[in-house]
């Protein structure tokens, strides 16, 4: 696989030509959970790509056990390599799965994901992106995969736990309404480097 190095504040990763390349604000995820992290945390990341999100979490918190999944074998290969390069492979396990399809009888304190959320109707805006289309575009104006993760993910949450999902800023209200309709409460949205809502946190806490 062709690769290049992307440098973040706390770590570096290698990319691959058939894998989604993370953006510079990937460290928004540790920021989003820093005030709600628990004493011991079982975390699943759906669609790990290069492993950047899971690695950023593992580099920020040492009280985590992470299961990072992806349907793309090339992604799992490069993510496993990146975890080793960053000395966090003892905190992250990798598994092939299409969202929750191959996750059986497990529950988590955090479900994290940066799923595809762009609409193909607006694909002309993203013509310069070289990432695989499957990592960028989703049906229902970009909401299909996020809705699927929220709806399916509820039964994979421990009590008083959280979903942390990246999305487009103009999807925030749709996600709030959808999550509420499925028994989750909106906690907050974390803004990206441009000041737009980018990651939203939902919880089943009572």
């Amino acid at each position: 696989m062709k690769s290049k190095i992307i440098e973040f504040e706390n770590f570096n990763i290698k990319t691959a030509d058939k894998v989604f390349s993370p953006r510079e604000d990937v460290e928004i995820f540790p920021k989003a959970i820093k005030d709600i992290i628990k004493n011991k945390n079982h975390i699943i990341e759906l669609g790990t790509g290069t492993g950047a999100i899971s690695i950023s979490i593992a580099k920020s918190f040492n009280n985590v056990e992470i299961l990072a999944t992806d349907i793309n074998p090339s992604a799992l290969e490069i993510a496993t390599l990146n975890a080793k390069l960053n000395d966090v492979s003892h905190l992250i396990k990798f598994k092939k799965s299409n969202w929750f399809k191959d996750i059986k009888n497990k529950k988590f304190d955090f479900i994290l994901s940066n799923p595809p959320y762009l609409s193909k109707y607006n694909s002309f805006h993203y013509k310069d992106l070289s990432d695989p289309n499957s990592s960028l575009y989703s049906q229902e104006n970009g909401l299909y995969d996020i809705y699927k993760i929220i709806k399916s993910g509820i039964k994979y949450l421990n009590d008083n736990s959280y979903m942390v999902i990246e999305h487009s800023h103009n999807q925030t209200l749709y996600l709030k309404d959808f999550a509420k309709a499925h028994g989750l409460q909106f906690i907050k949205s974390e803004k990206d480097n441009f000041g737009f809502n980018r990651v939203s946190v939902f919880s089943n806490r009572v």
Side-chain angles (χ1 to χ4, degrees):
M1 293 185 289
K2 294 180 179 179
S3 66
K4 65 178 182 179
I5 299 292
I6 297 181
E7 297 182 4
F8 296 101
E9 182 177 348
N10 296 318
F11 63 98
N12 298 333
I13 64 163
K14 287 188 175 182
T15 64
D17 53 353
K18 296 181 180 179
V19 181
F20 176 81
S21 292
R23 310 309 183 227
E24 62 181 13
D25 55 2
V26 70
E27 291 178 271
I28 193 174
F29 277 84
K31 184 178 179 182
I33 71 171
K34 68 178 182 178
D35 293 328
I36 53 176
I37 197 81
K38 303 180 180 184
N39 291 328
K40 189 175 182 180
N41 302 269
H42 291 89
I43 297 173
I44 185 169
E45 185 199 354
L46 304 173
T48 194
T50 60
I53 291 173
S54 285
I55 291 169
S56 71
I57 296 293
K59 297 286 280 188
S60 299
F61 311 102
N62 59 13
N63 55 339
V64 296
E65 295 180 7
I66 303 172
L67 177 62
T69 72
D70 208 291
I71 195 174
N72 181 356
S74 297
L76 294 174
E77 182 180 345
I78 196 72
T80 300
L81 172 62
N82 282 326
K84 291 178 180 177
L85 291 175
N86 284 280
D87 298 320
V88 293
S89 55
H90 61 294
L91 298 176
I92 308 173
K93 294 182 179 179
F94 295 94
K95 182 179 178 64
K96 185 178 180 182
S97 182
N98 185 6
W99 301 142
F100 292 103
K101 183 178 180 181
D102 295 308
I103 308 302
K104 308 297 183 185
N105 302 317
K106 293 185 178 181
K107 291 197 173 185
F108 303 89
D109 302 304
F110 289 90
I111 295 171
L112 311 179
S113 187
N114 175 15
Y117 57 76
L118 301 180
S119 171
K120 282 194 173 181
Y121 293 115
N122 298 321
S123 59
F124 61 92
H125 288 305
Y126 315 112
K127 59 185 178 180
D128 294 331
L129 297 178
S130 59
D131 306 284
N133 282 350
S134 61
S135 69
L136 296 174
Y137 300 107
S138 187
Q139 301 173 41
E140 297 183 22
N141 292 320
L143 289 164
Y144 176 81
D145 287 285
I146 297 179
Y147 282 173
K148 187 173 184 179
I149 288 169
I150 291 175
K151 187 175 181 180
S152 300
I154 294 169
K155 66 181 180 180
Y156 291 93
L157 283 177
N158 286 321
D159 293 339
N160 299 310
S161 295
Y162 302 88
M163 287 191 199
V164 186
I165 300 176
E166 183 168 335
H167 57 85
S168 175
H169 68 93
N170 58 12
Q171 295 170 334
T172 307
L173 293 179
Y174 294 102
L175 299 190
K176 285 183 180 180
D177 289 343
F178 189 84
K180 183 178 181 181
H182 288 81
L184 296 176
Q185 59 176 300
F186 171 76
I187 303 299
K188 65 175 180 176
S189 286
E190 203 71 51
K191 297 186 183 300
D192 62 18
N193 296 339
F194 298 101
F196 294 109
N197 288 344
R198 185 60 58 199
V199 169
S200 287
V201 181
F202 305 94
S203 180
N204 65 348
R205 70 189 189 188
V206 293

